[in-house]
Coordinates of all heavy atoms in Angstrom, one line a residue:
M1 N -23.5 -41.3 65.2 CA -24.5 -41.9 64.4 C -25.8 -42.2 65.2 O -26.9 -42.1 64.6 CB -24.0 -43.2 63.8 CG -24.9 -43.9 62.8 SD -24.9 -42.9 61.3 CE -25.8 -44.0 60.2
K2 N -25.6 -42.4 66.4 CA -26.8 -42.7 67.3 C -27.7 -41.5 67.5 O -28.9 -41.6 67.5 CB -26.3 -43.2 68.6 CG -27.3 -44.0 69.4 CD -26.7 -44.8 70.5 CE -27.7 -45.9 70.9 NZ -27.1 -46.8 71.8
S3 N -27.1 -40.3 67.6 CA -27.8 -39.1 67.7 C -28.6 -38.8 66.5 O -29.7 -38.2 66.5 CB -27.0 -37.9 68.1 OG -26.1 -37.6 67.1
Q4 N -28.0 -39.1 65.3 CA -28.7 -38.8 64.0 C -29.9 -39.7 63.9 O -31.0 -39.3 63.4 CB -27.8 -39.1 62.8 CG -28.4 -38.8 61.5 CD -28.8 -37.3 61.3 OE1 -28.1 -36.4 61.9 NE2 -29.8 -37.1 60.6
T5 N -29.8 -41.0 64.3 CA -31.0 -41.9 64.3 C -32.1 -41.4 65.3 O -33.2 -41.4 64.9 CB -30.5 -43.3 64.7 OG1 -29.4 -43.7 63.9 CG2 -31.6 -44.3 64.6
R6 N -31.7 -40.9 66.4 CA -32.7 -40.4 67.3 C -33.4 -39.1 66.8 O -34.6 -39.0 66.9 CB -32.0 -40.0 68.7 CG -32.9 -39.6 69.7 CD -32.2 -39.4 71.0 NE -33.2 -39.0 72.0 CZ -33.0 -39.1 73.3 NH1 -31.9 -39.6 73.8 NH2 -33.9 -38.7 74.1
I7 N -32.6 -38.3 66.1 CA -33.2 -37.1 65.5 C -34.2 -37.5 64.4 O -35.3 -36.9 64.3 CB -32.1 -36.1 65.0 CG1 -31.3 -35.5 66.2 CG2 -32.7 -35.0 64.1 CD1 -30.1 -34.7 65.7
T8 N -33.8 -38.4 63.6 CA -34.7 -38.9 62.5 C -35.9 -39.5 63.1 O -37.1 -39.2 62.6 CB -33.9 -39.9 61.7 OG1 -32.7 -39.3 61.2 CG2 -34.8 -40.4 60.5
L9 N -35.8 -40.3 64.1 CA -37.0 -40.9 64.8 C -37.9 -39.9 65.4 O -39.1 -40.0 65.3 CB -36.5 -41.9 65.8 CG -37.6 -42.8 66.5 CD1 -38.4 -43.6 65.4 CD2 -37.0 -43.7 67.5
T10 N -37.3 -38.9 66.0 CA -38.1 -37.8 66.6 C -38.9 -37.0 65.5 O -40.1 -36.7 65.6 CB -37.2 -36.8 67.4 OG1 -36.5 -37.6 68.4 CG2 -38.1 -35.7 68.0
A11 N -38.2 -36.8 64.4 CA -38.8 -36.1 63.3 C -40.0 -36.9 62.7 O -41.1 -36.4 62.4 CB -37.8 -35.7 62.2
L12 N -39.8 -38.2 62.6 CA -40.8 -39.0 62.1 C -42.1 -39.1 63.0 O -43.2 -39.1 62.5 CB -40.3 -40.4 61.8 CG -39.4 -40.6 60.6 CD1 -38.8 -42.0 60.5 CD2 -40.0 -40.2 59.3
C13 N -41.8 -39.1 64.3 CA -42.9 -39.1 65.3 C -43.7 -37.8 65.2 O -44.9 -37.8 65.3 CB -42.4 -39.2 66.7 SG -41.8 -40.9 67.0
F14 N -43.1 -36.7 64.9 CA -43.8 -35.4 64.7 C -44.6 -35.4 63.4 O -45.6 -34.8 63.2 CB -42.9 -34.2 64.8 CG -42.6 -33.8 66.2 CD1 -41.4 -34.1 66.8 CD2 -43.5 -33.1 66.9 CE1 -41.1 -33.7 68.1 CE2 -43.3 -32.6 68.2 CZ -42.0 -33.0 68.8
L15 N -44.0 -36.0 62.3 CA -44.7 -36.0 61.0 C -45.8 -37.0 60.9 O -46.6 -36.9 60.0 CB -43.6 -36.3 59.9 CG -42.6 -35.1 59.7 CD1 -41.5 -35.6 58.8 CD2 -43.3 -33.9 59.2
L16 N -45.8 -38.1 61.7 CA -46.7 -39.2 61.6 C -48.2 -38.7 61.7 O -49.0 -39.1 60.9 CB -46.4 -40.3 62.6 CG -47.2 -41.5 62.4 CD1 -47.0 -42.2 61.1 CD2 -46.9 -42.5 63.6
P17 N -48.6 -37.9 62.6 CA -50.0 -37.5 62.7 C -50.5 -36.7 61.4 O -51.6 -37.0 60.9 CB -50.1 -36.6 63.9 CG -48.9 -37.0 64.8 CD -47.8 -37.4 63.8
N18 N -49.6 -35.9 60.9 CA -49.9 -35.2 59.6 C -50.1 -36.2 58.5 O -51.0 -36.1 57.7 CB -48.9 -34.1 59.3 CG -49.3 -33.2 58.2 OD1 -50.5 -33.1 57.9 ND2 -48.4 -32.6 57.6
F19 N -49.2 -37.1 58.4 CA -49.2 -38.1 57.4 C -50.5 -39.0 57.5 O -51.1 -39.3 56.4 CB -48.0 -39.0 57.4 CG -47.9 -40.0 56.3 CD1 -47.7 -39.7 55.0 CD2 -48.1 -41.4 56.6 CE1 -47.6 -40.6 54.0 CE2 -48.1 -42.3 55.7 CZ -47.8 -42.0 54.3
I20 N -50.8 -39.4 58.7 CA -52.1 -40.2 58.8 C -53.3 -39.4 58.5 O -54.2 -39.9 57.8 CB -52.1 -40.7 60.3 CG1 -51.1 -41.7 60.6 CG2 -53.5 -41.3 60.6 CD1 -50.9 -42.1 62.0
G21 N -53.3 -38.1 58.8 CA -54.4 -37.2 58.5 C -54.5 -37.1 56.9 O -55.6 -37.1 56.4
F22 N -53.4 -36.9 56.3 CA -53.4 -36.8 54.8 C -53.9 -38.0 54.2 O -54.7 -38.0 53.3 CB -51.9 -36.5 54.4 CG -51.8 -36.5 52.9 CD1 -52.3 -35.5 52.1 CD2 -51.2 -37.6 52.2 CE1 -52.2 -35.5 50.7 CE2 -51.1 -37.7 50.9 CZ -51.6 -36.6 50.1
M23 N -53.4 -39.2 54.6 CA -53.9 -40.4 54.1 C -55.4 -40.6 54.3 O -56.1 -41.0 53.3 CB -53.1 -41.6 54.7 CG -51.6 -41.6 54.4 SD -51.3 -41.9 52.6 CE -51.7 -43.6 52.5
T24 N -55.9 -40.3 55.5 CA -57.3 -40.6 55.8 C -58.2 -39.6 55.1 O -59.2 -40.0 54.5 CB -57.5 -40.4 57.3 OG1 -56.6 -41.3 58.0 CG2 -58.9 -40.7 57.7
F25 N -57.9 -38.4 55.0 CA -58.8 -37.4 54.5 C -58.6 -36.9 53.1 O -59.4 -36.1 52.6 CB -58.9 -36.2 55.5 CG -59.4 -36.5 56.9 CD1 -58.5 -36.5 57.9 CD2 -60.6 -37.0 57.1 CE1 -58.9 -36.9 59.2 CE2 -61.1 -37.3 58.3 CZ -60.2 -37.3 59.4
T26 N -57.4 -37.2 52.5 CA -57.1 -36.8 51.2 C -56.9 -37.9 50.2 O -57.6 -38.1 49.2 CB -55.9 -35.8 51.2 OG1 -56.2 -34.7 52.1 CG2 -55.6 -35.2 49.8
L27 N -55.8 -38.7 50.4 CA -55.4 -39.7 49.5 C -56.4 -40.8 49.3 O -56.7 -41.1 48.2 CB -54.0 -40.2 49.9 CG -53.4 -41.1 48.8 CD1 -53.1 -40.4 47.5 CD2 -52.1 -41.7 49.4
V28 N -56.9 -41.3 50.4 CA -57.9 -42.4 50.3 C -59.2 -42.0 49.6 O -59.6 -42.7 48.6 CB -58.1 -43.1 51.7 CG1 -59.3 -44.1 51.6 CG2 -56.9 -43.7 52.2
P29 N -59.8 -40.9 49.9 CA -61.0 -40.5 49.2 C -60.7 -40.2 47.7 O -61.6 -40.5 46.8 CB -61.5 -39.2 49.9 CG -60.9 -39.3 51.3 CD -59.6 -40.0 51.1
V30 N -59.6 -39.6 47.4 CA -59.3 -39.3 46.0 C -59.1 -40.6 45.2 O -59.7 -40.8 44.1 CB -58.0 -38.5 45.8 CG1 -57.5 -38.4 44.4 CG2 -58.3 -37.1 46.3
L31 N -58.4 -41.6 45.8 CA -58.2 -42.9 45.1 C -59.6 -43.6 45.0 O -59.8 -44.3 43.9 CB -57.2 -43.7 45.8 CG -55.8 -43.2 45.7 CD1 -54.8 -44.1 46.5 CD2 -55.3 -43.1 44.3
F32 N -60.4 -43.6 46.0 CA -61.7 -44.2 45.9 C -62.6 -43.6 44.8 O -63.2 -44.3 44.1 CB -62.4 -44.1 47.3 CG -63.8 -44.7 47.2 CD1 -64.0 -46.0 47.3 CD2 -64.9 -43.9 47.1 CE1 -65.3 -46.6 47.2 CE2 -66.2 -44.4 47.1 CZ -66.4 -45.7 47.1
S33 N -62.6 -42.2 44.8 CA -63.3 -41.5 43.7 C -62.8 -41.9 42.3 O -63.7 -42.1 41.4 CB -63.3 -40.0 43.9 OG -63.8 -39.7 45.2
L34 N -61.6 -42.0 42.2 CA -61.0 -42.4 40.9 C -61.5 -43.8 40.5 O -61.9 -44.0 39.4 CB -59.5 -42.3 40.9 CG -58.8 -42.6 39.6 CD1 -59.1 -41.6 38.5 CD2 -57.3 -42.7 39.8
G35 N -61.4 -44.7 41.4 CA -61.9 -46.0 41.1 C -63.3 -46.1 40.9 O -63.8 -46.8 40.0
A36 N -64.1 -45.4 41.6 CA -65.6 -45.4 41.5 C -66.0 -44.7 40.2 O -67.1 -45.0 39.6 CB -66.3 -44.7 42.6
S37 N -65.2 -43.8 39.6 CA -65.5 -43.2 38.3 C -65.5 -44.2 37.2 O -66.1 -43.8 36.1 CB -64.6 -42.0 38.1 OG -63.3 -42.5 37.7
F38 N -64.9 -45.3 37.3 CA -65.0 -46.3 36.3 C -66.1 -47.4 36.5 O -66.1 -48.4 35.8 CB -63.6 -47.1 36.2 CG -62.5 -46.2 35.8 CD1 -61.6 -45.7 36.7 CD2 -62.3 -45.8 34.4 CE1 -60.5 -44.8 36.3 CE2 -61.3 -45.0 34.0 CZ -60.4 -44.5 35.0
T39 N -67.0 -47.1 37.3 CA -68.1 -48.0 37.6 C -69.5 -47.2 37.4 O -69.5 -46.0 37.2 CB -68.1 -48.5 39.0 OG1 -68.3 -47.5 40.0 CG2 -66.8 -49.2 39.3
N40 N -70.6 -47.9 37.4 CA -71.9 -47.3 37.4 C -72.5 -47.3 38.8 O -73.7 -47.5 38.9 CB -72.8 -47.9 36.3 CG -73.2 -49.3 36.7 OD1 -72.7 -49.9 37.6 ND2 -74.2 -49.8 36.0
W41 N -71.8 -47.1 39.8 CA -72.2 -47.2 41.2 C -73.2 -46.0 41.4 O -72.9 -44.9 41.1 CB -71.1 -47.1 42.1 CG -71.4 -47.1 43.6 CD1 -72.3 -47.9 44.2 CD2 -70.9 -46.2 44.6 NE1 -72.3 -47.6 45.5 CE2 -71.5 -46.6 45.8 CE3 -70.0 -45.2 44.5 CZ2 -71.1 -45.9 47.0 CZ3 -69.7 -44.5 45.7 CH2 -70.2 -44.9 46.9
N42 N -74.4 -46.4 42.0 CA -75.3 -45.4 42.4 C -75.4 -45.4 43.9 O -75.9 -46.4 44.5 CB -76.7 -45.7 41.8 CG -77.7 -44.6 42.1 OD1 -77.5 -43.7 42.9 ND2 -78.9 -44.7 41.5
I43 N -75.0 -44.4 44.6 CA -74.9 -44.3 46.0 C -76.2 -44.5 46.7 O -76.3 -44.9 47.9 CB -74.1 -43.0 46.5 CG1 -73.7 -43.2 47.9 CG2 -75.0 -41.8 46.3 CD1 -72.8 -42.1 48.4
M44 N -77.3 -44.1 46.0 CA -78.6 -44.1 46.6 C -79.3 -45.5 46.6 O -80.3 -45.7 47.3 CB -79.5 -43.1 45.9 CG -79.0 -41.7 46.1 SD -78.8 -41.1 47.7 CE -80.5 -40.7 48.2
Q45 N -78.9 -46.4 45.7 CA -79.6 -47.7 45.6 C -78.8 -48.8 46.2 O -79.3 -49.4 47.2 CB -79.8 -47.9 44.1 CG -80.9 -46.9 43.5 CD -81.1 -47.2 42.1 OE1 -80.5 -48.0 41.4 NE2 -82.1 -46.4 41.5
T46 N -77.8 -49.3 45.6 CA -77.1 -50.5 46.0 C -75.7 -50.2 46.3 O -75.1 -49.2 46.0 CB -77.2 -51.6 44.9 OG1 -76.5 -51.1 43.8 CG2 -78.6 -51.9 44.6
V47 N -75.0 -51.2 46.9 CA -73.6 -51.1 47.3 C -72.8 -51.8 46.3 O -71.6 -52.0 46.4 CB -73.4 -51.6 48.7 CG1 -72.0 -51.4 49.2 CG2 -74.4 -50.9 49.6
T48 N -73.4 -52.3 45.2 CA -72.6 -53.1 44.2 C -72.0 -52.1 43.2 O -72.5 -51.1 42.8 CB -73.5 -54.1 43.5 OG1 -74.5 -53.4 42.8 CG2 -74.0 -55.1 44.5
F49 N -70.8 -52.5 42.7 CA -70.1 -51.8 41.7 C -70.1 -52.6 40.4 O -69.7 -53.8 40.5 CB -68.6 -51.5 42.1 CG -68.5 -50.6 43.3 CD1 -68.4 -51.0 44.6 CD2 -68.3 -49.2 43.0 CE1 -68.2 -50.2 45.6 CE2 -68.2 -48.3 44.1 CZ -68.1 -48.8 45.4
Q50 N -70.5 -52.0 39.3 CA -70.4 -52.7 38.0 C -69.4 -51.9 37.2 O -69.6 -50.7 36.9 CB -71.8 -52.8 37.4 CG -71.8 -53.5 36.1 CD -73.1 -53.6 35.4 OE1 -74.1 -53.0 35.9 NE2 -73.2 -54.3 34.4
W51 N -68.4 -52.6 36.7 CA -67.3 -52.0 35.9 C -67.9 -51.5 34.6 O -68.4 -52.3 33.9 CB -66.2 -52.9 35.8 CG -65.0 -52.4 35.0 CD1 -64.7 -52.5 33.7 CD2 -64.0 -51.6 35.6 NE1 -63.6 -51.9 33.4 CE2 -63.1 -51.3 34.5 CE3 -63.7 -51.0 36.8 CZ2 -62.0 -50.5 34.7 CZ3 -62.6 -50.3 37.0 CH2 -61.7 -50.0 36.0
V52 N -67.7 -50.3 34.2 CA -68.1 -49.8 32.9 C -66.9 -49.2 32.2 O -67.0 -48.7 31.0 CB -69.2 -48.7 33.0 CG1 -70.5 -49.4 33.5 CG2 -68.8 -47.5 33.8
G53 N -65.7 -49.2 32.8 CA -64.5 -48.7 32.1 C -64.6 -47.2 31.8 O -65.0 -46.4 32.7
L54 N -64.3 -46.8 30.6 CA -64.2 -45.4 30.2 C -65.5 -44.9 29.7 O -65.6 -43.7 29.3 CB -63.2 -45.2 29.1 CG -61.7 -45.5 29.5 CD1 -60.8 -45.4 28.3 CD2 -61.3 -44.5 30.6
A55 N -66.6 -45.6 29.8 CA -67.9 -45.2 29.3 C -68.4 -43.9 30.0 O -69.0 -43.0 29.4 CB -69.0 -46.3 29.5
N56 N -68.1 -43.7 31.3 CA -68.5 -42.5 32.0 C -67.8 -41.3 31.4 O -68.4 -40.2 31.2 CB -68.3 -42.6 33.5 CG -69.2 -43.6 34.2 OD1 -70.3 -43.8 33.7 ND2 -68.8 -44.1 35.3
Y57 N -66.5 -41.5 31.1 CA -65.7 -40.4 30.6 C -66.1 -40.0 29.1 O -66.2 -38.9 28.7 CB -64.2 -40.6 30.7 CG -63.8 -40.6 32.1 CD1 -63.6 -41.8 32.8 CD2 -63.6 -39.4 32.8 CE1 -63.2 -41.7 34.1 CE2 -63.2 -39.4 34.1 CZ -63.0 -40.5 34.8 OH -62.5 -40.5 36.1
V58 N -66.4 -41.1 28.3 CA -66.9 -40.9 27.0 C -68.2 -40.1 27.0 O -68.4 -39.1 26.2 CB -67.1 -42.2 26.2 CG1 -67.8 -42.0 24.9 CG2 -65.7 -42.8 26.0
K59 N -69.1 -40.5 27.9 CA -70.4 -39.8 28.0 C -70.2 -38.4 28.4 O -70.9 -37.5 27.9 CB -71.3 -40.6 29.0 CG -72.7 -40.0 29.2 CD -73.5 -40.8 30.2 CE -74.8 -40.2 30.4 NZ -75.6 -41.0 31.4
L60 N -69.3 -38.1 29.4 CA -69.0 -36.8 29.8 C -68.5 -35.9 28.7 O -68.9 -34.8 28.5 CB -68.1 -36.8 31.0 CG -67.6 -35.5 31.6 CD1 -68.7 -34.8 32.3 CD2 -66.4 -35.7 32.5
L61 N -67.5 -36.4 28.0 CA -66.8 -35.6 27.0 C -67.6 -35.4 25.7 O -67.3 -34.5 25.0 CB -65.5 -36.2 26.7 CG -64.4 -36.2 27.8 CD1 -63.2 -36.9 27.4 CD2 -64.1 -34.8 28.3
T62 N -68.7 -36.2 25.5 CA -69.5 -36.0 24.3 C -70.8 -35.2 24.7 O -71.6 -34.9 23.8 CB -69.9 -37.4 23.7 OG1 -70.5 -38.2 24.7 CG2 -68.7 -38.1 23.2
D63 N -71.0 -34.9 25.9 CA -72.1 -34.1 26.3 C -71.8 -32.6 26.1 O -70.9 -32.0 26.6 CB -72.4 -34.3 27.8 CG -73.6 -33.6 28.3 OD1 -74.4 -33.0 27.5 OD2 -73.9 -33.6 29.5
P64 N -72.7 -31.9 25.2 CA -72.4 -30.5 24.9 C -72.5 -29.6 26.1 O -71.8 -28.6 26.2 CB -73.5 -30.2 23.9 CG -74.3 -31.3 23.7 CD -73.8 -32.5 24.5
Q65 N -73.3 -29.9 27.1 CA -73.4 -29.1 28.3 C -72.1 -29.1 29.1 O -71.8 -28.1 29.8 CB -74.6 -29.6 29.2 CG -75.9 -29.3 28.6 CD -76.2 -27.8 28.6 OE1 -75.5 -27.0 29.1 NE2 -77.3 -27.4 28.0
F66 N -71.4 -30.2 29.1 CA -70.1 -30.3 29.8 C -69.2 -29.2 29.4 O -68.5 -28.5 30.2 CB -69.4 -31.6 29.6 CG -68.0 -31.7 30.1 CD1 -67.7 -31.7 31.5 CD2 -67.0 -31.7 29.2 CE1 -66.4 -31.7 31.9 CE2 -65.7 -31.7 29.7 CZ -65.4 -31.7 31.0
W67 N -69.1 -28.9 28.0 CA -68.1 -28.0 27.5 C -68.6 -26.5 27.9 O -67.7 -25.7 28.1 CB -68.0 -28.1 26.0 CG -67.3 -29.5 25.7 CD1 -67.9 -30.6 25.2 CD2 -66.0 -29.8 26.1 NE1 -67.0 -31.6 25.2 CE2 -65.8 -31.2 25.7 CE3 -64.9 -29.1 26.6 CZ2 -64.6 -31.8 25.8 CZ3 -63.7 -29.8 26.7 CH2 -63.6 -31.2 26.4
V68 N -69.9 -26.3 28.0 CA -70.4 -25.0 28.4 C -69.9 -24.8 29.9 O -69.4 -23.7 30.2 CB -71.9 -24.9 28.3 CG1 -72.4 -23.6 28.9 CG2 -72.3 -25.0 26.8
Y69 N -70.1 -25.8 30.7 CA -69.7 -25.6 32.1 C -68.2 -25.5 32.3 O -67.7 -24.8 33.1 CB -70.3 -26.8 32.9 CG -71.8 -26.9 32.9 CD1 -72.4 -28.2 32.8 CD2 -72.6 -25.8 32.9 CE1 -73.8 -28.3 32.8 CE2 -73.9 -25.9 32.9 CZ -74.5 -27.1 32.9 OH -75.9 -27.2 32.8
A70 N -67.5 -26.3 31.4 CA -66.0 -26.2 31.5 C -65.5 -24.8 31.1 O -64.6 -24.3 31.8 CB -65.4 -27.3 30.6
V71 N -66.0 -24.2 30.1 CA -65.6 -22.9 29.7 C -66.0 -21.9 30.8 O -65.2 -21.0 31.1 CB -66.2 -22.5 28.3 CG1 -66.1 -21.0 28.0 CG2 -65.6 -23.3 27.2
N72 N -67.2 -22.0 31.3 CA -67.6 -21.1 32.4 C -66.7 -21.2 33.6 O -66.3 -20.2 34.2 CB -69.1 -21.4 32.8 CG -70.1 -20.9 31.8 OD1 -69.8 -20.1 30.9 ND2 -71.3 -21.4 31.9
T73 N -66.3 -22.4 34.0 CA -65.4 -22.6 35.1 C -64.1 -22.0 34.8 O -63.5 -21.3 35.7 CB -65.3 -24.1 35.4 OG1 -66.6 -24.6 35.7 CG2 -64.4 -24.3 36.6
F74 N -63.6 -22.2 33.6 CA -62.3 -21.7 33.2 C -62.3 -20.1 33.3 O -61.4 -19.5 33.8 CB -61.9 -22.2 31.8 CG -60.6 -21.7 31.4 CD1 -59.4 -22.2 31.9 CD2 -60.4 -20.8 30.4 CE1 -58.1 -21.8 31.5 CE2 -59.2 -20.3 29.9 CZ -58.1 -20.8 30.5
Y75 N -63.4 -19.6 32.7 CA -63.5 -18.1 32.8 C -63.6 -17.6 34.2 O -63.0 -16.6 34.5 CB -64.8 -17.7 32.0 CG -65.1 -16.2 32.0 CD1 -64.4 -15.4 31.2 CD2 -66.1 -15.7 32.8 CE1 -64.6 -14.0 31.2 CE2 -66.4 -14.4 32.8 CZ -65.7 -13.5 32.0 OH -66.0 -12.2 32.0
L76 N -64.3 -18.3 35.0 CA -64.5 -17.9 36.4 C -63.1 -17.9 37.2 O -62.8 -17.0 37.9 CB -65.5 -18.7 37.1 CG -65.8 -18.3 38.6 CD1 -66.6 -17.1 38.6 CD2 -66.6 -19.5 39.2
M77 N -62.4 -19.0 36.9 CA -61.1 -19.2 37.6 C -60.1 -18.2 37.2 O -59.2 -17.9 37.9 CB -60.6 -20.6 37.4 CG -61.5 -21.7 37.9 SD -61.9 -21.5 39.6 CE -60.6 -22.4 40.4
L78 N -60.2 -17.7 35.9 CA -59.3 -16.6 35.5 C -59.8 -15.3 35.9 O -59.0 -14.4 36.3 CB -59.1 -16.7 34.0 CG -58.2 -17.8 33.5 CD1 -58.2 -17.8 32.0 CD2 -56.8 -17.8 34.0
G79 N -61.1 -15.1 35.8 CA -61.7 -13.7 36.1 C -61.7 -13.3 37.5 O -61.5 -12.1 37.8
M80 N -61.9 -14.2 38.4 CA -62.0 -13.8 39.8 C -60.7 -13.3 40.4 O -60.7 -12.2 41.0 CB -62.5 -15.0 40.7 CG -64.0 -15.2 40.5 SD -64.6 -16.5 41.6 CE -64.4 -15.7 43.2
P81 N -59.6 -14.0 40.2 CA -58.3 -13.4 40.7 C -58.0 -12.0 40.1 O -57.5 -11.1 40.8 CB -57.3 -14.4 40.4 CG -58.0 -15.7 40.2 CD -59.3 -15.3 39.7
V82 N -58.3 -11.9 38.8 CA -58.0 -10.6 38.2 C -58.9 -9.5 38.7 O -58.4 -8.4 39.0 CB -58.2 -10.7 36.6 CG1 -58.2 -9.4 35.9 CG2 -57.2 -11.6 36.0
S83 N -60.2 -9.8 38.9 CA -61.1 -8.8 39.5 C -60.8 -8.5 40.9 O -61.0 -7.3 41.4 CB -62.6 -9.2 39.3 OG -62.8 -10.3 40.1
I84 N -60.3 -9.4 41.7 CA -59.9 -9.2 43.1 C -58.7 -8.3 43.2 O -58.6 -7.4 44.0 CB -59.7 -10.5 43.8 CG1 -61.1 -11.2 44.0 CG2 -59.0 -10.3 45.2 CD1 -61.0 -12.6 44.6
A85 N -57.7 -8.6 42.3 CA -56.5 -7.8 42.2 C -56.8 -6.4 41.8 O -56.3 -5.4 42.3 CB -55.5 -8.4 41.3

């Protein structure tokens, strides 16, 4: 049992740098962006966050230009791999 604990501890020591990098450069920014999407924060003016809830998403989904860009992106994401192949 003691050797299994040592193997597990060694494995965790090797995995820890990757886990710390993932947390620092991927998970934390994604969670921050998700939280900031529910505010009207302007990065160029102030550091205050004002909660607006789903208003940003309602504005996005009711904007006709968004759907044009979404269709173009979808077409590009399907068309590029096909043309490369």
Side-chain angles (χ1 to χ4, degrees):
M1 187 69 168
K2 201 168 204 170
S3 69
Q4 182 63 31
T5 305
R6 185 175 179 159
I7 290 172
T8 303
L9 186 60
T10 303
L12 289 175
C13 287
F14 277 104
L15 292 172
L16 187 62
N18 190 21
F19 181 72
I20 291 171
F22 171 76
M23 294 293 287
T24 303
F25 298 112
T26 303
L27 188 62
V28 172
V30 166
L31 293 177
F32 177 79
S33 298
L34 180 64
S37 72
F38 294 103
T39 67
N40 70 345
W41 177 48
N42 184 353
I43 195 169
M44 300 301 281
Q45 291 180 354
T46 62
V47 185
T48 60
F49 292 92
Q50 183 180 5
W51 182 262
V52 294
L54 293 173
N56 290 335
Y57 290 101
V58 169
K59 184 178 176 183
L60 176 72
L61 294 174
T62 57
D63 184 7
Q65 289 292 352
F66 168 74
W67 295 107
V68 172
Y69 300 141
V71 169
N72 287 345
T73 301
F74 183 71
Y75 177 75
L76 184 72
M77 296 308 269
L78 287 178
M80 283 185 68
V82 170
S83 67
I84 290 172

